[in-house]
Amino acid sequence: MSVDLEKALRASKDIIYGVYNFQGFKDYASTYFVTSECIKDYLEAHEFEKNKALTILSGGDQVFNLIFSGVHEIDAFDSNQLTYFVYYLCKAMLHIFSFEDFKKANLIFTSSYSSFSSRFDVIEKVKPYLFEEVYEYYRKMLEFSNGNPMICFESLFYSVSDKDFSRNNYLANEESYKKLQKFINDVNVNITFADALSFSERLSSTYDIILLSNIGDYFSFINPKFGLKEYQEFITSYKKKLNSGGMLINYLYKINEQYPIGKLPITREDIGINNIYPVINPIFKNTGEGYYLERRLSLK
């Protein structure tokens, strides 16, 4: 996989200048440093084989949690190419930072109160563990933003708070963090830039677990015609890539009677109430929150 550094820099400057309003599923868009879904809840709640996984890349939390869970090989994909830089920065920080310093560095990069020097100090500390283009991306973006009060470097990322860390198994405590550090280099992670709607057609592998984040119920933001039929077709296209007994998860932020599934004009009954599970620590408690899970039947 290759990344075009100059194109990424140009697109990132446009994001900072406000040229790109977030619409989702763009080649370059603001990126999560820490997950907004309760990965901890569903990985703890279900048993699954741990040989191979397919997941959204995002900022890397899905990958890190799968490694923590014992998965041996991971294919990660995302339409947003800026996830590449966030993932490799977080991975580099995992190599040398303590549990508390790792969390602090995440806050430094996403907070509007952070200084140029504090952010630059982070990338200098982890530079030996960064690909050259990743280091150059952050160096150039920080220098571009430095000293201009009208430019907000942190607009490249979604904000992070202390409570966000609790959604991850590997950040449950210092012992869990050290466990991930121990195994972070033992797992082969393959990254691909791809459109989630068509990527399943390109897959030649099959998987024990597939994590689709909330993209299955988010397509209606970019396509008002995306409804129940399209949702089911999307889920089915990935379910076909499951190994026998494998499980697929699509996160859902609004699942109670008052709200439809995200912006989809469907209800939880439409997609199968027996396939929807609540989470222990929801973000949006007033709307209901959970995840859609479907398994591929085991061969007898």
Side-chain angles (χ1 to χ4, degrees):
M1 182 202 65
S2 60
V3 62
D4 189 324
L5 176 59
E6 293 307 315
K7 186 177 288 187
L9 289 168
R10 289 195 298 270
S12 296
K13 292 174 183 178
D14 284 341
I15 292 171
I16 287 177
Y17 278 131
V19 175
Y20 291 157
N21 292 318
F22 179 71
Q23 297 174 353
F25 307 111
K26 299 173 71 72
D27 289 345
Y28 303 94
S30 299
T31 306
Y32 286 94
F33 245 79
V34 180
T35 184
S36 64
E37 63 190 81
C38 299
I39 300 175
K40 178 180 179 180
D41 285 358
Y42 56 69
L43 287 184
E44 284 187 341
H46 304 279
E47 291 293 327
F48 60 97
E49 293 295 324
K50 298 176 179 179
N51 293 319
K52 192 166 186 178
L54 174 71
T55 184
I56 296 298
L57 178 61
S58 192
D61 274 342
Q62 285 84 353
V63 170
F64 300 144
N65 281 284
L66 286 167
I67 294 173
F68 177 86
S69 296
V71 174
H72 302 302
E73 184 174 358
I74 301 171
D75 289 342
F77 72 101
D78 209 296
S79 59
N80 179 5
Q81 296 188 30
L82 296 187
T83 58
Y84 172 90
F85 300 99
V86 175
Y87 167 71
Y88 280 111
L89 176 58
C90 289
K91 184 178 179 182
M93 294 192 302
L94 276 162
H95 276 98
I96 63 171
F97 285 170
S98 68
F99 177 52
E100 292 299 331
D101 284 346
F102 177 83
K103 292 191 293 182
K104 186 184 298 183
N106 275 267
L107 295 170
I108 285 172
F109 261 81
T110 57
S111 172
S112 60
Y113 297 104
S114 299
S115 65
F116 165 84
S117 59
S118 64
R119 289 169 175 153
F120 199 79
D121 182 57
V122 170
I123 65 166
E124 285 298 307
K125 286 179 178 177
V126 301
K127 183 178 179 180
Y129 296 93
L130 291 176
F131 294 139
E132 182 179 358
E133 68 266 24
V134 177
Y135 173 79
E136 286 299 307
Y137 170 80
Y138 286 108
R139 182 185 68 80
K140 290 182 177 180
M141 287 308 303
L142 285 170
E143 290 178 350
F144 167 75
S145 306
N146 186 32
N148 189 335
M150 302 302 294
I151 294 178
C152 300
F153 172 85
E154 65 275 5
S155 62
L156 291 170
F157 317 109
Y158 292 99
S159 61
V160 175
S161 66
D162 283 318
K163 67 179 181 179
D164 296 330
F165 299 121
S166 65
R167 302 184 183 116
N168 296 278
N169 283 319
Y170 78 97
L171 293 175
N173 49 52
E174 187 171 359
E175 182 181 357
S176 297
Y177 181 78
K178 287 182 177 179
K179 177 183 174 181
L180 176 63
Q181 285 183 313
K182 181 179 178 180
F183 295 110
I184 191 70
N185 286 328
D186 294 342
V187 177
N188 184 29
V189 179
N190 307 297
I191 297 175
T192 304
F193 299 132
D195 180 348
L197 270 178
S198 59
F199 186 53
S200 59
E201 301 171 2
R202 296 166 48 187
L203 294 169
S204 57
S205 298
T206 54
Y207 303 91
D208 300 307
I209 182 170
I210 297 177
L211 303 184
L212 294 174
S213 190
N214 69 317
I215 56 177
D217 65 309
Y218 192 80
F219 282 119
S220 57
F221 280 86
I222 58 173
N223 181 6
K225 296 182 180 179
F226 193 89
L228 177 61
K229 176 176 177 290
E230 290 74 18
Y231 178 86
Q232 291 175 328
E233 289 175 348
F234 169 76
I235 293 296
T236 299
S237 71
Y238 282 92
K239 184 183 175 184
K240 292 177 180 177
K241 301 301 178 180
L242 287 174
N243 292 327
S244 173
M247 69 180 192
L248 174 149
I249 291 175
N250 180 74
Y251 209 74
L252 303 169
Y253 283 108
K254 298 180 180 180
I255 60 173
N256 64 14
E257 290 77 8
Q258 183 179 357
Y259 293 88
I261 303 296
K263 282 195 171 183
L264 287 172
I266 62 178
T267 66
R268 55 184 180 177
E269 285 76 13
D270 288 330
I271 62 174
I273 193 169
N274 292 330
N275 298 96
I276 296 177
Y277 297 80
V279 296
I280 298 171
N281 296 303
I283 304 168
F284 305 111
K285 295 181 180 180
N286 62 323
T287 64
E289 187 176 346
Y291 54 93
Y292 175 87
L293 181 149
E294 189 163 344
R295 287 189 182 272
R296 188 162 193 176
L297 295 178
S298 300
L299 297 176
K300 295 183 179 179

Coordinates of all heavy atoms in Angstrom, one line a residue, residues 43-44 48 50 63-71 169 179-180:
L43 N -16.6 -7.2 22.1 CA -15.5 -8.1 22.0 C -15.5 -9.0 23.3 O -15.0 -10.1 23.3 CB -14.2 -7.5 21.8 CG -13.9 -6.9 20.4 CD1 -12.5 -6.4 20.3 CD2 -14.2 -8.0 19.3
E44 N -15.9 -8.4 24.4 CA -16.0 -9.2 25.7 C -17.2 -10.1 25.7 O -17.2 -11.1 26.4 CB -16.0 -8.2 26.9 CG -14.7 -7.6 27.2 CD -14.8 -6.8 28.5 OE1 -15.9 -6.5 28.9 OE2 -13.7 -6.6 29.1
F48 N -15.5 -16.0 19.7 CA -15.2 -16.2 18.2 C -13.8 -16.7 18.0 O -12.9 -16.5 18.8 CB -15.4 -14.9 17.5 CG -14.5 -13.8 17.9 CD1 -13.4 -13.5 17.2 CD2 -14.8 -13.0 19.0 CE1 -12.5 -12.5 17.6 CE2 -14.0 -12.0 19.5 CZ -12.8 -11.7 18.8
K50 N -10.1 -16.7 16.4 CA -9.3 -15.5 16.4 C -8.1 -15.7 15.4 O -7.0 -15.1 15.7 CB -8.8 -15.2 17.8 CG -10.0 -14.9 18.8 CD -9.6 -14.7 20.2 CE -10.8 -14.4 21.0 NZ -10.5 -14.2 22.5
V63 N -8.2 -2.2 15.4 CA -7.1 -3.1 15.2 C -6.4 -3.5 16.5 O -6.1 -4.6 16.8 CB -6.0 -2.5 14.3 CG1 -4.7 -3.2 14.3 CG2 -6.6 -2.4 12.8
F64 N -6.2 -2.5 17.4 CA -5.5 -2.7 18.6 C -6.4 -3.6 19.6 O -5.8 -4.4 20.3 CB -5.3 -1.3 19.3 CG -4.4 -0.4 18.5 CD1 -4.6 1.0 18.6 CD2 -3.4 -0.9 17.8 CE1 -3.8 1.8 17.8 CE2 -2.5 0.0 17.0 CZ -2.7 1.3 17.1
N65 N -7.7 -3.4 19.6 CA -8.5 -4.3 20.4 C -8.5 -5.7 19.9 O -8.6 -6.6 20.7 CB -9.9 -3.7 20.4 CG -10.1 -2.6 21.4 OD1 -10.1 -2.8 22.6 ND2 -10.1 -1.3 20.9
L66 N -8.5 -5.9 18.6 CA -8.4 -7.2 18.0 C -7.1 -7.9 18.4 O -7.1 -9.1 18.7 CB -8.6 -7.2 16.5 CG -10.1 -6.9 16.0 CD1 -10.1 -6.6 14.5 CD2 -11.0 -8.1 16.3
I67 N -6.0 -7.2 18.3 CA -4.7 -7.8 18.7 C -4.8 -8.1 20.2 O -4.3 -9.2 20.6 CB -3.6 -6.8 18.4 CG1 -3.5 -6.5 16.9 CG2 -2.3 -7.3 19.0 CD1 -2.5 -5.4 16.6
F68 N -5.3 -7.2 21.0 CA -5.5 -7.5 22.4 C -6.3 -8.8 22.7 O -6.0 -9.5 23.6 CB -6.1 -6.3 23.1 CG -6.4 -6.5 24.6 CD1 -5.4 -6.2 25.5 CD2 -7.6 -7.0 25.1 CE1 -5.6 -6.4 26.9 CE2 -7.8 -7.1 26.4 CZ -6.8 -6.8 27.3
S69 N -7.3 -9.0 21.8 CA -8.2 -10.2 22.0 C -7.5 -11.5 21.5 O -8.1 -12.5 21.8 CB -9.5 -10.0 21.2 OG -10.2 -8.9 21.7
G70 N -6.4 -11.4 20.8 CA -5.7 -12.6 20.4 C -5.8 -12.9 18.9 O -5.4 -14.0 18.5
V71 N -6.3 -12.0 18.1 CA -6.4 -12.3 16.7 C -5.0 -12.3 16.1 O -4.1 -11.5 16.4 CB -7.3 -11.2 16.0 CG1 -7.2 -11.4 14.5 CG2 -8.7 -11.2 16.5
N169 N -10.7 -2.3 25.3 CA -10.2 -3.3 26.3 C -8.7 -3.0 26.6 O -8.3 -3.2 27.7 CB -10.3 -4.7 25.6 CG -11.7 -5.2 25.7 OD1 -12.4 -5.1 26.7 ND2 -12.1 -5.8 24.6
K179 N -0.1 -5.6 27.9 CA -0.4 -6.8 27.2 C -0.4 -6.5 25.7 O 0.2 -7.2 24.9 CB -1.7 -7.4 27.6 CG -2.1 -8.6 26.8 CD -3.5 -9.1 27.2 CE -3.9 -10.3 26.3 NZ -5.3 -10.8 26.6
L180 N -1.0 -5.4 25.3 CA -1.0 -5.0 23.9 C 0.4 -4.6 23.4 O 0.8 -5.0 22.3 CB -2.0 -3.8 23.6 CG -2.0 -3.3 22.2 CD1 -2.5 -4.3 21.2 CD2 -2.8 -2.0 22.1

